[in-house]
């Protein structure tokens, strides 16, 4: 599937999944995001890289946070931003999805950021409709959330250095989590020696072994001496009855408390993709504690999205030139 | 009515209807749009013509497509864009329409794009409230959709040259179609020798003869040797019971199929204002076929809207100067 | 409370209330707004003062007018604008207000414009969450609407000169009006010798005397020889049953009619924060009459909001530098 994301030079031209992307490309994204972090700390937080380009947020599923971070990233790159709330727009006039997208294409959109409840929606869009448009997956079903995966890698690298020599634990509802899938893929590609997942059996996806992880159902054993803890959001809105008895019981068995945190290394990082459910998957004192980099992740997220947008756009430009030469 | 749209030099300062606009002015719009099409194909799709101007989308009726195309056109001209969804805003606090508009005026808006379910709404607004503001009709009731009319003329000119010597057929629900009215006016003004309308009698407006058209109720006879076919959208949401037995029956009698298309010239253009109802007024194989320029129309639409915005703004500037001199 | 709004040099770095702000600072705001009024009348209504800054509209209560005026003010200063409709966003996913705001902070927002139904919400936000971010109160409950207060002072100064020697009457529902509170504070600080409030006893807040005002329950006596009349909007949506018998009765006793206006000086100004309720608190002939500057207030409002945004931003920059030096 990864060939769909790359042009003939192996440069990124869509960003759909981390599955199959080479390590050098992930490192390139991390390096580029590092340079954009510096832009975010300037008095004038703006560079003209995407001036005159149009980013179109195509959101089939509401997500204020993801939409806002892409909008901010695009504006800091000087792009124009259009937001389509598909639920209430022309599709309700009976137009097909493909027709809607071809129309946006004809209007001269350069980038689609797609958020969809169905796994594979961004792939479908990239394959079917968009010759020169970069498609960015802003989260599709349980499948992938690759910008979140890469901002997590950036967070780890900035606070702990190379992930290869670290122990990283991912804790919580892995079954429903696109964030977990993207993180496991990134960690594996970047050569992380010790990836652990901690969850009750009912919240583990089938085939989790393919990611080269060690599975723990006991959180304190799983956290033993880890360098990084990635807590997952309990996707209450995604859960159907029966998988979990109650939030209270989940917290009692898998919530990250100050006591449990002691099992990890003393300087272990605490991470979470947000928004956090205080007292459900994480205790407030841990979320707000000295080891938490949850808010730093948000800052890094803008820089990583700037990196993804600018690299995909330059990959598309190169691809267009390749086509024109042939 | 056309004098309302023109300043003392005969330049456009509102854009409300094509009715009564001189041929030279339509040609000027087409030429200007041609030059903006080149901007749309650049790497940096932006010119500074309307920098520091504020366009206000005043939408009394929802239309994602029209709003988005005006927003894109304005941003490519470097204008700032504000969108008001009137249904949910201050009018619900009991403010009158005139008060809402005078407030926007006082905020320094330069352009209103108005979309309204009632015929004549844009005229009312241009007449009553706006001394220096350009009012653009983004579609009012069954009355007019002049930017759509002009983008259709641009589409024909770019693919077939001067419309004067062409045969053009407009097919479908003419009764409810503002697009059809604007198209017939434009074709007549530009000297089109053979304008045909094809529709069941129940979907023809009273007084259609004024446009200088030939009326056909049989689609195959109407399409005979035409150069251009403009299909109309079946406005299902506008139809009240009784006018049409069923969509299936409409398609059976007036839908554009590959078979019927053979009646036209072999290189006849197929056009549609979108969004298309596949299998209702047009067959998918025709909509997606080699003769269809439906998606090109969308691209031309951005350029035409840029032309309308920039010409109206310069007409307003000239009018303001004229007033200051007197 | 005012220290929260000022940096160590006494410069504005938040704008929460006029209560306690020194006269020199209010005068500075008026002078700065005067200079921005000139920008609004230029062909290119844009200055680069806030280029690369991000303003975030954080609206817990819907207000198209306030949101739009801040958006326009920010864009004329070249800032990027993000709007969050909190009612429908991540707070509905169970995130706390503080977490939402800390996330916006981490995304690199520079200014929050806050609108909230609860008195004190903007203060809470300024105190709890924002080290380098300017918080602007866009209206909180019955408490304050300081940008409205200052745009009213600008309106008076531009049409009548120094307010110190003027008689100013505020008329209507003072009990529910944040506008009235901000106006009384501004008038007092600027040394207005004669501030009058005109209202039925049931619509007067407890402790109104602290503002140094004279209270009238008879409108014609209260308006006697005043220079300025500030009508308040009857906040019908805020009223609970029992305080007023009917709108008609309110107009009969307190509505501003042409007849009553004669009690004031012949050139007295008529002001209103909008949106107006014609025939409820003000007669149409007065609202549209020669003495009305209601629409001018809207224009001045953009300039005043530009002044508030730019002064707060430069106060924050100075504060950041102070911190870095220590």
């Amino acid at each position: 599937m990864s060939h769909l994301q790359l042009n003939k030079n192996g440069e990124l031209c869509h960003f759909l999944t981390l599955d199959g992307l080479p390590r050098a490309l992930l490192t390139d994204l991390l390096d580029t995001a590092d340079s954009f972090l510096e832009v975010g700390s300037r008095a004038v937080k703006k560079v003209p890289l995407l001036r005159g380009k149009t980013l179109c947020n195509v959101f089939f599923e509401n997500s204020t946070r993801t939409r806002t971070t892409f909008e901010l990233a695009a504006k800091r790159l000087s792009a124009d931003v259009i937001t389509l709330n598909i639920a209430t727009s022309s599709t309700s006039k009976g137009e097909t999805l493909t027709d809607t997208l071809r129309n946006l294409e004809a209007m001269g959109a350069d980038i689609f950021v797609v958020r969809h409840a169905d796994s594979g929606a961004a792939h479908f869009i990239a394959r079917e409709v968009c010759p020169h448009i970069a498609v960015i997956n802003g989260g599709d079903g349980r499948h992938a959330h690759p910008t979140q995966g890469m901002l997590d890698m950036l967070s780890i690298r900035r606070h702990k250095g190379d992930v290869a020599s670290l122990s990283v634990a991912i804790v919580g509802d892995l079954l429903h989590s696109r964030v977990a899938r993207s993180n496991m893929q990134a960690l594996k590609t970047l050569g992380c020696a010790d990836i652990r997942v901690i969850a009750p059996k009912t919240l583990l996806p089938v085939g989790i072994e393919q990611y080269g992880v060690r599975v723990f159902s006991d959180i304190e054993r799983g956290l033993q001496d880890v360098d990084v803890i990635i807590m997952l959001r309990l996707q209450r809105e995604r859960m159907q009855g029966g998988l979990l008895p109650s939030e209270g019981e989940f917290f009692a068995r898998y919530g990250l408390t100050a006591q449990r945190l002691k099992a990890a290394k003393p300087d272990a990082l605490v991470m979470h993709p947000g928004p956090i459910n205080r007292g459900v998957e994480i205790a407030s004192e841990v979320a707000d504690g000295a080891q938490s980099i949850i808010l730093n992740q948000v800052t890094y997220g803008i820089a990583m999205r700037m990196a993804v947008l600018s690299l995909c756009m330059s990959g598309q430009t190169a691809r267009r030139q390749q086509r024109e030469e042939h």
Side-chain angles (χ1 to χ4, degrees), chain A:
Chain A
M1 244 181 192
S2 71
H3 67 283
L4 180 61
Q5 305 186 77
L6 304 178
N7 67 17
K8 285 178 183 164
N9 304 338
E11 297 159 333
L12 213 52
C13 54
H14 298 298
F15 195 60
L16 309 170
T17 176
L18 300 179
D19 189 18
L21 289 184
R23 183 171 185 164
L25 208 152
L26 301 198
T27 304
D28 194 17
L29 278 167
L30 294 170
D31 295 344
T32 306
D34 260 334
S35 74
F36 284 129
L37 265 177
E38 185 269 324
V39 172
S41 66
R42 284 189 212 163
V44 177
K45 292 187 291 281
K46 226 170 163 103
V47 289
L49 267 171
L50 296 193
R51 214 178 91 77
K53 302 294 185 191
T54 302
L55 178 143
C56 187
N57 275 318
V58 190
F59 274 52
F60 299 88
E61 183 182 67
N62 194 26
S63 172
T64 303
R65 177 180 303 236
T66 300
R67 181 186 58 70
T68 305
T69 52
F70 274 108
E71 189 171 342
L72 281 170
K75 286 182 171 172
R76 291 201 183 139
L77 293 165
S78 306
D80 292 322
V81 179
I82 296 278
T83 293
L84 285 201
N85 186 339
I86 294 294
T88 63
S89 82
S90 50
T91 46
S92 66
K93 285 194 179 175
E95 194 181 46
T96 66
L97 167 58
T98 303
D99 282 337
T100 299
L101 293 166
R102 281 193 183 138
N103 270 279
L104 290 170
E105 211 179 301
M107 289 174 199
D110 300 287
I111 301 170
F112 288 161
V113 176
V114 178
R115 173 84 160 209
H116 203 290
D118 291 346
S119 301
H123 281 82
F124 172 81
I125 290 169
R127 199 179 303 109
E128 293 299 316
V129 277
C130 307
H132 295 310
I133 296 175
V135 177
I136 314 291
N137 186 354
D140 61 333
R142 304 181 186 180
H143 176 245
H145 199 347
T147 57
Q148 180 70 44
M150 286 312 295
L151 79 86
D152 287 344
M153 297 306 110
L154 182 63
S155 305
I156 296 172
R157 193 174 84 164
R158 289 188 68 89
H159 290 261
K160 290 286 174 195
D162 188 353
V163 76
S165 58
L166 302 176
S167 290
V168 179
I170 304 173
V171 186
D173 176 9
L174 279 99
L175 178 60
H176 299 87
S177 176
R178 47 196 174 203
V179 174
R181 275 170 190 71
S182 289
N183 269 321
M184 291 186 291
Q185 286 159 353
L187 288 166
K188 193 178 168 194
T189 302
L190 291 170
C192 179
D194 182 18
I195 314 173
R196 309 180 192 178
V197 300
I198 304 174
K201 283 205 180 68
T202 52
L203 293 181
L204 280 174
V206 174
I208 182 100
E209 306 75 19
Q210 65 175 296
Y211 298 102
V213 301
R214 287 196 287 156
V215 177
F216 294 82
S217 58
D218 181 281
I219 184 167
E220 295 191 36
R221 285 190 51 223
L223 292 180
Q224 205 63 47
D225 295 321
V226 295
D227 300 280
V228 178
I229 305 167
I230 300 176
M231 297 303 299
L232 299 175
R233 177 177 166 78
L234 195 68
Q235 305 272 8
R236 286 179 288 186
E237 61 275 25
R238 289 234 177 75
M239 311 274 292
Q240 284 115 7
L243 288 179
L244 281 185
S246 76
E247 283 177 10
E249 189 167 337
F250 184 86
F251 187 71
R253 288 201 55 204
Y254 291 97
L256 187 61
T257 59
Q259 176 59 34
R260 283 177 177 151
L261 181 54
K262 287 181 185 160
K265 286 195 184 150
D267 59 350
L269 301 178
V270 173
M271 296 170 56
H272 189 295
I276 60 176
N277 295 307
R278 291 171 178 272
V280 177
E281 70 260 356
I282 191 166
S284 277
E285 61 178 327
V286 176
D288 302 331
Q291 291 170 252
S292 166
I293 59 164
I294 295 174
L295 291 172
N296 303 271
Q297 287 174 268
V298 176
T299 305
Y300 304 151
I302 304 282
M304 179 50 73
R305 280 162 185 139
M306 292 171 77
V308 167
L309 294 175
S310 59
L311 288 183
C312 283
M313 201 74 276
S314 81
Q316 284 287 354
T317 303
R319 193 163 78 156
R320 195 184 291 226
Q321 285 164 350
Q322 288 159 11
R323 283 188 181 161
E324 282 163 6
E325 283 161 16
H326 296 293

